[in-house]
Amino acid sequence: MAVTETLTAERILAATEEVLRRYGPAKATVVDVARALGVSHGSVYRHFRTKAALREAVTERWLERTFVPLAPFVEGSGPADERLTGWLTALFGLKRAKAGGDPELMATFMVLIGENSAVVDRHEDRLVEQIARILADGHREGVFAAPETDFRTTARAVFDATDRFHNPAHAAEWAGPDADAAFAAVVALVRRALRA
């Protein structure tokens, strides 16, 4: 007798990502997800009340993968200016790998991101919070001159200044021959601006 896997939100999200990769956001349906899982579409709706809720959750899951590789730069030891450079470099690398490694899925998620601006806003807020934590450490170390009471505003400025290297709208530029040099120049400029 075969043992069937319990239907979980995580299994549904993984199947949804695969269905989106296969059919694209315009053609993928909840029925396609259910078929991929071997369940009824009603079973999927028990976990996600609407197709929009499912698409929002899969977008959030995709964006969430960014935080694990960035955490060591936020929580680690070492000089804050080096950790900030490492964080910015890692973020650029992650975004570039997503864009170049699976262009079909990236195009799909660009559509989903457009549909789920609140998810994107929360994602960006968390990224800015990570930068703010590094800046606060740098301020305590005497490396950064960011105002002690306003690390978040300064962190947002750093995030915005490096937008070209993490905003998927610029993904086509990331494979260009000058992308790494341009990135290094912006990071150097940011570090000089933050210096105490």
Side-chain angles (χ1 to χ4, degrees), residues 71-78 83 137:
F73 299 102
V74 179
E75 299 159 6
S77 58
R83 288 172 35 226
D137 289 349

Side-chain angles (χ1 to χ4, degrees), residues 39-179:
V39 300
S40 71
H41 67 282
S43 296
V44 174
Y45 282 124
R46 279 193 277 286
H47 288 270
F48 299 96
R49 295 179 53 91
T50 64
K51 179 181 178 180
L54 177 58
R55 288 165 74 106
E56 180 178 325
V58 81
T59 303
E60 192 159 30
R61 176 181 186 257
W62 190 68
L63 291 172
E64 195 66 26
R65 292 181 187 141
T66 304
F67 294 106
V68 172
L70 296 176
F73 299 102
V74 179
E75 299 159 6
S77 58
D81 55 342
E82 291 176 14
R83 288 172 35 226
L84 178 63
T85 298
W87 188 94
L88 291 167
T89 303
L91 181 62
F92 182 33
L94 289 165
K95 298 290 183 161
R96 187 161 36 183
K98 281 182 181 181
D102 196 341
E104 294 83 11
L105 190 60
M106 182 68 162
T108 293
F109 276 102
M110 288 300 293
V111 171
L112 295 180
I113 285 168
E115 294 174 0
N116 295 291
S117 61
V119 170
V120 174
D121 290 345
R122 287 193 304 271
H123 174 72
E124 286 186 4
D125 285 346
R126 285 186 61 198
L127 292 171
V128 168
E129 183 56 38
Q130 287 189 326
I131 296 171
R133 286 179 57 192
I134 296 170
L135 295 180
D137 289 349
H139 181 57
R140 280 190 296 278
E141 295 168 9
V143 175
F144 295 142
E148 188 171 346
T149 57
D150 204 11
F151 296 119
R152 190 159 177 76
T153 299
T154 304
R156 185 67 207 200
V158 170
F159 187 77
D160 291 345
T162 56
D163 179 78
R164 178 179 168 204
F165 304 102
H166 55 76
N167 184 331
H170 299 282
E173 302 168 27
W174 298 342
D178 299 330

